[in-house]
Amino acid sequence: MTVDTTTRVRELLAQYDTPQACAAELLCDRHPADAVAFTVVESDLSSTDLTYGWLREQSTRFAAALADLGVEPGDCVATLMGKSADLVVALLGIWRRGAVHVPLFTAFAPPAIAFRLEASGAKVVISDANQLDKLAPGDDMPSNSSWQVVVVGEGVGALRFADLVAQHSADDPRGAAVALGGNAPIVRLFTSGTTGSPKGVPVPIRALAAFRSYIEWGLDVREDDVFWNAADPGWAYGLYYALLGPMASGIRSILLHAGFSAPLTWQVMERFGVTNFAAAPTVYRSLRADETPVPESVKLRRASSAGEPLTPDVIAWSEAELGVTVRDQYGQTEHGMFIINAWADGLREDVVAGSMGRPLPGWTCAVLSDDSDEIAPPKTPGRVVIDTTASPLMWFTGYSDAPEKTAARFTDDGRWYITGDAGQVDEEGRFFFSSRDDDVIIMAGYRIGPFDVESVLVMHDDVVESAVVGMPDQLRGEVLEAFVVLRPGVEATDALEKELQQLVKRKFAAHAYPRTVHFVPQLPKTPSGKVQRYILRQGS
């Protein structure tokens, strides 16, 4: 089966990259009013269906309320909320007003929240009641803040979300959808880089073309699927592909209004008949480590992962226990997903161990040499880049108010966008991730990607997760040290350390074994589930 991806890319751009593009229309209003957009599931497995017609009415009321609060098109409005019906209404109200959404992950502490609110100049922040304390003035939150606070639930000294919605009618002209065109930003999402302050990424309406293409080709979500992306909408994969992508496509999606647990995840899959599942590698590792048996009724047609490279143990487990191979997908906050192990018919290939796949249609990628802007030969480590001249779905043009940081992302001629990740390409054009550029370990002249060693460590039955970093060494420049999370009840011993070191020598390379193994209760991670190796280097 052949797929005319070139024509489809043009069709998507014709929908989303136009001067008349309107976020509310594209994400909600054009869909049948009685079609279900989301099924919101509670921790007790009760559920509520949200139709597009109901979302249109409720978000129109909230858009009018935002106008009353002084929010104009182009202004920023932040949300500090979990996955809920109120979150969807709030987001559509923001976009209906022509405002820009600033996601705040609910696990953030006050300093991270304050930084994003101040950097974006947010006029309003909408907060769940159980998050309200984080916005209270104090050492980490300014006392003279300019933003207004809207609380979802009961809160003291704040406007109530439910009251604002109830006080306005569904035909209030101030809630009418604002059309600003394909280049207008709808989101400002801050990256969680390993160094320096987070950078604001403006996401325009035309990015919906790229998000929808991944839903179709990367995840292969079909009309009869029960789709569940378990990622949190406070970070890119959840926002782009649990909310924006499904709404752009008009497909039903599940939102779990509860914290993660392996037993609950299985229960949701079983009760609602999930057939297409996407999540961060951390979720799959937790499901694998949990003692809850996989319910016989769970029948996944598709399973996908993003955020960190998938280790071989997860892939083997998924094939044995789920009957489907979890497919690794690669992307960034600045672009969404753009190198994938595609699920769609006509693009699907057998998964090659360690490969993150091929460029998504609409994108052209390469690996450049470390010391020049020339394309590296096959199987030669280098810098993973995007060809801006041959990637019609690329939407990122620069960070908000950060020209120097933007310039550092592009080669001098502007042709290549530098991802900041190291990798290589094989002779068949498949990409392989090695590490972040600043995580590459140079030991005695050998270039070692931590992922290679981590993949071996998690082969051990007692290891749940691992992270490898380079530490300064007078003789070798750097040596490897590993941080390992063990299964519950397993004792950390010198004998186990030696066993893991020997495993790396046998399965990877004799010179690349970790000189020290630190047994830790957990690994430090970003909201998207990426291991923060720089913290491990600082704390060792």
Side-chain angles (χ1 to χ4, degrees), residues 184-211:
I186 53 174
V187 173
R188 186 180 296 186
L189 183 56
F190 286 82
T191 63
S192 52
T194 58
T195 58
S197 300
K199 303 177 289 291
V201 177
V203 182
I205 293 175
R206 61 188 173 89
L208 296 174
F211 300 162

CSV table of all heavy atoms in Angstrom, one decimal, residues 184-211:
chain,number,residue,atom,x,y,z
A,184,ALA,N,-0.5,33.1,14.0
A,184,ALA,CA,-0.8,33.6,15.4
A,184,ALA,C,-0.5,32.5,16.4
A,184,ALA,O,-0.9,31.3,16.3
A,184,ALA,CB,-2.3,34.0,15.5
A,185,PRO,N,0.2,32.9,17.5
A,185,PRO,CA,0.5,31.9,18.5
A,185,PRO,C,-0.8,31.5,19.4
A,185,PRO,O,-1.6,32.4,19.7
A,185,PRO,CB,1.5,32.6,19.4
A,185,PRO,CG,1.2,34.0,19.2
A,185,PRO,CD,0.7,34.2,17.8
A,186,ILE,N,-0.9,30.2,19.7
A,186,ILE,CA,-1.9,29.8,20.6
A,186,ILE,C,-1.4,29.2,21.9
A,186,ILE,O,-2.1,29.1,22.9
A,186,ILE,CB,-2.8,28.7,19.9
A,186,ILE,CG1,-2.0,27.5,19.4
A,186,ILE,CG2,-3.7,29.3,18.8
A,186,ILE,CD1,-2.8,26.4,18.9
A,187,VAL,N,-0.1,29.0,21.9
A,187,VAL,CA,0.6,28.4,23.1
A,187,VAL,C,1.9,29.1,23.3
A,187,VAL,O,2.6,29.3,22.3
A,187,VAL,CB,0.7,26.9,23.0
A,187,VAL,CG1,1.6,26.3,24.2
A,187,VAL,CG2,-0.6,26.2,23.0
A,188,ARG,N,2.4,29.3,24.5
A,188,ARG,CA,3.8,29.6,24.8
A,188,ARG,C,4.2,28.6,25.8
A,188,ARG,O,3.8,28.7,27.0
A,188,ARG,CB,4.0,31.0,25.3
A,188,ARG,CG,5.5,31.3,25.4
A,188,ARG,CD,5.8,32.7,25.9
A,188,ARG,NE,5.3,33.8,25.0
A,188,ARG,CZ,5.5,35.1,25.2
A,188,ARG,NH1,6.2,35.5,26.3
A,188,ARG,NH2,5.1,35.9,24.3
A,189,LEU,N,4.9,27.6,25.4
A,189,LEU,CA,5.4,26.5,26.2
A,189,LEU,C,6.9,26.6,26.5
A,189,LEU,O,7.7,26.8,25.6
A,189,LEU,CB,5.1,25.2,25.5
A,189,LEU,CG,5.4,23.9,26.3
A,189,LEU,CD1,4.6,23.8,27.6
A,189,LEU,CD2,5.0,22.7,25.4
A,190,PHE,N,7.2,26.6,27.7
A,190,PHE,CA,8.6,26.8,28.1
A,190,PHE,C,9.4,25.4,28.1
A,190,PHE,O,8.9,24.4,28.7
A,190,PHE,CB,8.7,27.5,29.5
A,190,PHE,CG,8.4,28.9,29.4
A,190,PHE,CD1,7.1,29.3,29.4
A,190,PHE,CD2,9.4,29.9,29.3
A,190,PHE,CE1,6.7,30.7,29.3
A,190,PHE,CE2,9.0,31.2,29.2
A,190,PHE,CZ,7.7,31.6,29.2
A,191,THR,N,10.5,25.4,27.5
A,191,THR,CA,11.4,24.2,27.5
A,191,THR,C,12.0,24.0,28.9
A,191,THR,O,12.1,24.9,29.6
A,191,THR,CB,12.5,24.3,26.5
A,191,THR,OG1,13.4,25.4,26.8
A,191,THR,CG2,12.0,24.6,25.1
A,192,SER,N,12.3,22.7,29.1
A,192,SER,CA,13.0,22.4,30.4
A,192,SER,C,14.4,22.0,30.1
A,192,SER,O,14.8,20.8,30.3
A,192,SER,CB,12.2,21.3,31.1
A,192,SER,OG,12.0,20.2,30.3
A,193,GLY,N,15.2,22.9,29.5
A,193,GLY,CA,16.6,22.5,29.1
A,193,GLY,C,17.5,22.2,30.3
A,193,GLY,O,17.1,22.4,31.5
A,194,THR,N,18.6,21.6,30.0
A,194,THR,CA,19.5,21.1,31.1
A,194,THR,C,20.4,22.3,31.6
A,194,THR,O,20.9,22.2,32.7
A,194,THR,CB,20.5,20.0,30.5
A,194,THR,OG1,21.2,20.6,29.4
A,194,THR,CG2,19.7,18.8,30.1
A,195,THR,N,20.5,23.4,30.9
A,195,THR,CA,21.3,24.5,31.3
A,195,THR,C,20.5,25.8,31.0
A,195,THR,O,19.8,25.8,30.0
A,195,THR,CB,22.6,24.5,30.6
A,195,THR,OG1,22.5,24.6,29.2
A,195,THR,CG2,23.5,23.3,31.0
A,196,GLY,N,20.7,26.8,31.8
A,196,GLY,CA,20.2,28.1,31.6
A,196,GLY,C,18.7,28.1,31.9
A,196,GLY,O,18.1,27.2,32.3
A,197,SER,N,18.1,29.3,31.7
A,197,SER,CA,16.7,29.5,32.0
A,197,SER,C,15.8,28.9,30.9
A,197,SER,O,16.2,28.8,29.8
A,197,SER,CB,16.3,31.0,32.1
A,197,SER,OG,17.1,31.6,33.1
A,198,PRO,N,14.6,28.4,31.3
A,198,PRO,CA,13.7,27.8,30.3
A,198,PRO,C,13.4,28.9,29.2
A,198,PRO,O,13.3,30.1,29.5
A,198,PRO,CB,12.5,27.5,31.1
A,198,PRO,CG,13.0,27.3,32.5
A,198,PRO,CD,14.1,28.2,32.6
A,199,LYS,N,13.3,28.4,28.0
A,199,LYS,CA,13.0,29.3,26.8
A,199,LYS,C,11.6,29.1,26.4
A,199,LYS,O,11.0,28.0,26.3
A,199,LYS,CB,14.0,28.9,25.7
A,199,LYS,CG,15.4,29.0,26.0
A,199,LYS,CD,16.3,28.5,24.9
A,199,LYS,CE,16.3,27.1,24.6
A,199,LYS,NZ,16.9,26.3,25.7
A,200,GLY,N,11.0,30.3,26.1
A,200,GLY,CA,9.6,30.3,25.7
A,200,GLY,C,9.4,29.9,24.2
A,200,GLY,O,10.0,30.5,23.3
A,201,VAL,N,8.6,28.9,23.9
A,201,VAL,CA,8.4,28.4,22.5
A,201,VAL,C,7.0,28.8,22.1
A,201,VAL,O,6.0,28.3,22.6
A,201,VAL,CB,8.5,26.9,22.4
A,201,VAL,CG1,8.2,26.4,21.0
A,201,VAL,CG2,9.9,26.4,22.8
A,202,PRO,N,6.9,29.8,21.2
A,202,PRO,CA,5.6,30.1,20.7
A,202,PRO,C,5.1,29.1,19.7
A,202,PRO,O,5.7,28.8,18.7
A,202,PRO,CB,5.8,31.5,20.0
A,202,PRO,CG,7.2,31.5,19.7
A,202,PRO,CD,8.0,30.6,20.6
A,203,VAL,N,3.9,28.6,19.9
A,203,VAL,CA,3.3,27.5,19.0
A,203,VAL,C,2.2,28.2,18.2
A,203,VAL,O,1.1,28.6,18.8
A,203,VAL,CB,2.8,26.4,19.9
A,203,VAL,CG1,2.2,25.3,18.9
A,203,VAL,CG2,3.8,25.8,20.8
A,204,PRO,N,2.3,28.3,16.9
A,204,PRO,CA,1.3,29.0,16.1
A,204,PRO,C,0.2,28.0,15.7
A,204,PRO,O,0.3,26.8,15.8
A,204,PRO,CB,2.1,29.4,14.9
A,204,PRO,CG,3.1,28.4,14.7
A,204,PRO,CD,3.5,27.9,16.1
A,205,ILE,N,-0.9,28.6,15.2
A,205,ILE,CA,-2.0,27.7,14.8
A,205,ILE,C,-1.6,26.8,13.7
A,205,ILE,O,-2.0,25.6,13.7
A,205,ILE,CB,-3.2,28.6,14.2
A,205,ILE,CG1,-3.8,29.5,15.4
A,205,ILE,CG2,-4.3,27.8,13.5
A,205,ILE,CD1,-4.8,30.5,14.9
A,206,ARG,N,-0.7,27.2,12.8
A,206,ARG,CA,-0.3,26.3,11.7
A,206,ARG,C,0.4,25.0,12.2
A,206,ARG,O,0.6,24.1,11.4
A,206,ARG,CB,0.5,27.0,10.7
A,206,ARG,CG,1.8,27.6,11.2
A,206,ARG,CD,2.5,28.5,10.1
A,206,ARG,NE,3.6,29.2,10.7
A,206,ARG,CZ,4.9,28.7,10.6
A,206,ARG,NH1,5.1,27.6,10.1
A,206,ARG,NH2,5.9,29.5,11.1
A,207,ALA,N,0.9,25.0,13.4
A,207,ALA,CA,1.5,23.8,14.0
A,207,ALA,C,0.5,22.7,14.1
A,207,ALA,O,0.9,21.5,14.1
A,207,ALA,CB,2.1,24.1,15.4
A,208,LEU,N,-0.8,23.0,14.0
A,208,LEU,CA,-1.8,21.9,14.1
A,208,LEU,C,-1.7,21.0,12.9
A,208,LEU,O,-2.0,19.8,13.0
A,208,LEU,CB,-3.2,22.6,14.1
A,208,LEU,CG,-3.5,23.4,15.4
A,208,LEU,CD1,-4.9,24.1,15.2
A,208,LEU,CD2,-3.5,22.5,16.6
A,209,ALA,N,-1.2,21.5,11.8
A,209,ALA,CA,-0.9,20.6,10.6
A,209,ALA,C,0.1,19.5,11.0
A,209,ALA,O,-0.1,18.3,10.7
A,209,ALA,CB,-0.5,21.4,9.4
A,210,ALA,N,1.1,19.9,11.7
A,210,ALA,CA,2.2,18.9,12.1
A,210,ALA,C,1.6,17.9,13.1
A,210,ALA,O,1.9,16.7,13.1
A,210,ALA,CB,3.4,19.6,12.6
A,211,PHE,N,0.9,18.5,14.1
A,211,PHE,CA,0.3,17.7,15.2
A,211,PHE,C,-0.6,16.6,14.6
A,211,PHE,O,-0.6,15.5,15.0
A,211,PHE,CB,-0.4,18.5,16.2
A,211,PHE,CG,0.5,19.5,16.9
A,211,PHE,CD1,0.0,20.6,17.6
A,211,PHE,CD2,1.9,19.4,16.8
A,211,PHE,CE1,0.8,21.5,18.2
A,211,PHE,CE2,2.7,20.4,17.4
A,211,PHE,CZ,2.2,21.4,18.1
